[in-house]
Amino acid sequence: MSTLVAAAAGAAVLVASPASGAASTLAAAAQQSGRYFGTAVAANKLSDSTYVGILNREFDMVTAENEMKMDATEPSQGQFSYGNADRIVNQARNQGKRVRGHALAWHSQQPGWMQNMSGTALRNAMLNHVTQVASYYRGKIYAWDVVNEAFADGSSGGRRDSNLQRTGNDWIEAAFRAARAADPGAKLCYNDYNTDNWSHAKTQGVYRMVQDFKSRGVPIDCVGFQAHFNSGNPVPSNYHTTLQNFANLGVDVQITELDIEGSGSTQAQQYQGVVQACLSVTRCTGITVWGIRDTDSWRASGTPLLFDGSGNKKAAYTSVLNVLNNASSTVPTTPTSTTDPTGPTTTTTPQNPGGCTATYREGQKWNDRFNGEVTVSGTNNWVVTVTVSSPQRIIATWNTTATWPSANVMVARPNGNGNTFGFTVQHGGNWNWPSVSCQVG
Ligand code: G2I
């Protein structure tokens, strides 16, 4: 939950600037709000002209699907192999695209020699790997997944058991420090899956780790949310809350491996929801889908991507493009923020002396609408102006008497039910918060 406090006299704390116009590719559309739109690339597909045509046209960020993993880059201890990774990095950079590095340290995809190691020898081998690979690509990587998938699934909220974890709980921060020393210009991310739902123990566990890292000065810049969805693991309705709460810790958030099994309008709607969640969080800096065509996917039978096997745009593609084109950037004005892992995020501005303050608080969210609540302090005789942005419409209110100077503006007054009132916004794809301002009536 988030709250936003606007001082009196019309001070709207959210600034919404409309996107500059309709773009015809995912990258161009994302760039309108300063974001990127990326994809995973496989080196052995760079000779497929349909694949490369879509890659060059639609995407401005590239992740190597497998070629930068530990088994690919250090197949024998101390002997590094960058051929396939370089093919991807060079192709991307020659086309003016940026690169996410994936992944420096992971319990999976370890080379055979590493799988059998433990203790200090493994710790040192892991740190040497991080140092060597991050140094080799120094200056060429936008963000590294420094550590991938280190938390356990299920209800523990703790670390996953692995040979790396058994070298000591500090292995993750040691990896981040080594990566920072090797490539000080790259953003350093922790990346994981099943961390999308704010109420899941795994999400909370990662949140507490990032909070701890930030409080102790461990160099972490971003958190990657893989976002592999299907009917058993659907897009959570609180996704925006998850992304916002992590961002409030002072890190960027990115959707790093998006794919959603399904087809048609159901799939399109779910893609739309994920993109909207990112767009509604200022520090959600970009989205990467995990492959180009359905047939390129690691789970091709689930047809989880934006292009079909022939390279045609699917309904999901169109919905993503449209949401990106409808984006407006929501920029909170220099607030002071505090976050409680289980409680509300509070964003405040100074109270206007002698006036009143309207505090906006997010309520429940659905695919097509969301609730908001406003609490007024400073007077019992308030006039609160709530302004929504197109195509939003307020479709219901409670605990207030409302008048409508225009379709986007509601003026709310007390109706005898106290100083908190609420309303439902049909959002039409625009998740921006309404702006609220208070005057003494
Ligand atoms: O499992 C989906 C993703 C989950 N998050 C981390 C990602 O790195 C991971 O990607 C997948 C790749 O999409 C697959 O392509 O990681 C798998 C391995 O963990 C990749 O699968 C591997 C197969 O295991 C190999 O047998 C195969 O040779 O792909 C290789 C290349 O096709």
Side-chain angles (χ1 to χ4, degrees):
M1 294 266 257
S2 301
T3 62
L4 175 139
V5 181
V13 176
L14 285 186
V15 182
S17 51
S20 45
S24 60
T25 68
L26 299 169
Q31 284 164 16
Q32 293 173 113
S33 68
R35 294 179 173 86
Y36 66 81
F37 206 96
T39 187
V41 168
N44 63 8
K45 293 186 178 137
L46 289 175
S47 53
D48 175 334
S49 60
T50 306
Y51 182 89
V52 175
I54 302 171
L55 167 62
N56 289 349
R57 187 183 76 222
E58 297 285 346
F59 300 99
D60 60 355
M61 184 72 77
V62 160
T63 307
E65 186 172 359
N66 289 297
E67 293 78 352
M68 284 191 184
K69 293 174 180 174
M70 300 177 101
D71 58 350
T73 50
E74 195 178 357
S76 308
Q77 187 169 14
Q79 292 183 359
F80 292 83
S81 163
Y82 296 111
N84 284 330
D86 280 350
R87 243 160 254 145
I88 293 172
V89 171
N90 293 337
Q91 199 278 343
R93 287 167 57 81
N94 288 340
Q95 291 286 324
K97 305 179 196 308
R98 292 182 291 173
V99 178
R100 290 192 88 264
H102 173 79
L104 291 172
W106 188 16
H107 70 276
S108 182
Q109 302 283 104
Q110 293 181 358
W113 60 266
M114 186 181 272
Q115 291 173 26
N116 300 323
M117 289 179 91
S118 63
T120 307
L122 173 61
R123 172 68 71 97
N124 289 339
M126 179 274 288
L127 291 176
N128 183 56
H129 181 88
V130 170
T131 300
Q132 295 297 324
V133 177
S135 299
Y136 179 83
Y137 284 110
R138 180 185 300 139
K140 295 183 173 174
I141 303 295
Y142 164 72
W144 270 110
D145 291 335
V146 178
V147 170
N148 196 36
E149 302 178 1
F151 275 74
D153 293 311
S155 59
S156 79
R159 298 284 180 86
R160 171 195 298 277
D161 179 50
S162 72
N163 60 348
L164 290 168
Q165 181 61 31
R166 277 175 251 129
T167 70
N169 206 48
D170 62 343
W171 75 274
I172 298 180
E173 59 193 270
F176 274 83
R177 291 198 165 97
R180 178 68 98 224
D183 186 0
K187 288 183 184 294
L188 305 182
C189 300
Y190 175 78
N191 192 53
D192 214 330
Y193 65 91
N194 280 354
T195 47
D196 312 287
N197 191 322
W198 178 241
S199 64
H200 283 182
K202 187 171 175 181
T203 310
Q204 295 292 315
V206 174
Y207 180 90
R208 283 191 295 272
M209 178 187 75
V210 176
Q211 189 176 44
D212 171 54
F213 280 11
K214 293 300 286 184
S215 74
R216 290 190 294 112
V218 177
I220 184 168
D221 307 304
C222 38
V223 176
F225 297 81
Q226 293 185 8
H228 295 293
F229 296 114
N230 58 23
S231 55
N233 177 34
V235 180
S237 59
N238 61 16
Y239 205 15
H240 157 266
T241 303
T242 303
L243 299 177
Q244 186 66 61
N245 282 345
F246 274 87
N248 288 344
L249 291 176
V251 288
D252 289 344
V253 295
Q254 297 159 1
I255 293 173
T256 52
E257 304 181 13
L258 177 60
D259 54 18
I260 308 175
E261 292 187 336
S263 62
S265 58
T266 310
Q267 182 183 47
Q269 204 177 19
Q270 290 171 312
Y271 262 102
Q272 179 179 327
V274 172
V275 175
Q276 280 167 343
C278 177
L279 293 174
S280 69
V281 175
T282 304
R283 290 196 76 156
C284 184
T285 58
I287 298 169
T288 294
V289 287
W290 204 240
I292 297 179
R293 300 162 300 196
D294 284 335
T295 43
D296 300 318
S297 170
W298 66 293
R299 43 183 191 175
S301 63
T303 62
L305 294 172
L306 301 178
F307 295 87
D308 70 18
S310 307
N312 299 311
K313 296 168 181 175
K314 295 167 59 182
Y317 171 95
T318 308
S319 73
V320 169
L321 184 70
N322 288 344
V323 192
L324 292 170
N325 271 325
N326 287 336
S328 45
S329 44
T330 303
V331 185
T333 54
T334 56
T336 48
S337 295
T338 51
T339 302
D340 163 344
T342 54
T345 299
T346 311
T347 305
T348 55
T349 54
Q351 185 152 359
N352 190 23
C356 55
T357 300
T359 303
Y360 177 74
R361 175 182 287 269
E362 289 184 323
Q364 216 175 331
K365 301 189 195 73
W366 297 268
N367 279 344
D368 61 333
R369 63 198 194 283
F370 60 82
N371 283 350
E373 246 178 27
V374 173
T375 300
V376 181
S377 62
T379 180
N380 292 328
N381 184 23
W382 39 268
V383 181
V384 172
T385 303
V386 179
T387 306
V388 298
S389 49
S390 180
Q392 294 175 337
R393 286 286 175 273
I394 295 178
I395 56 171
T397 65
W398 53 96
N399 294 342
T400 184
T401 301
T403 56
W404 302 88
S406 73
N408 284 356
V409 179
M410 175 176 81
V411 174
R413 291 184 167 81
N415 74 346
N417 283 325
N419 293 334
T420 295
F421 66 94
F423 51 88
T424 301
V425 178
Q426 183 180 298
H427 57 65
N430 174 359
W431 288 87
N432 286 336
W433 285 348
S435 60
V436 296
S437 64
C438 185
Q439 289 178 307
V440 178

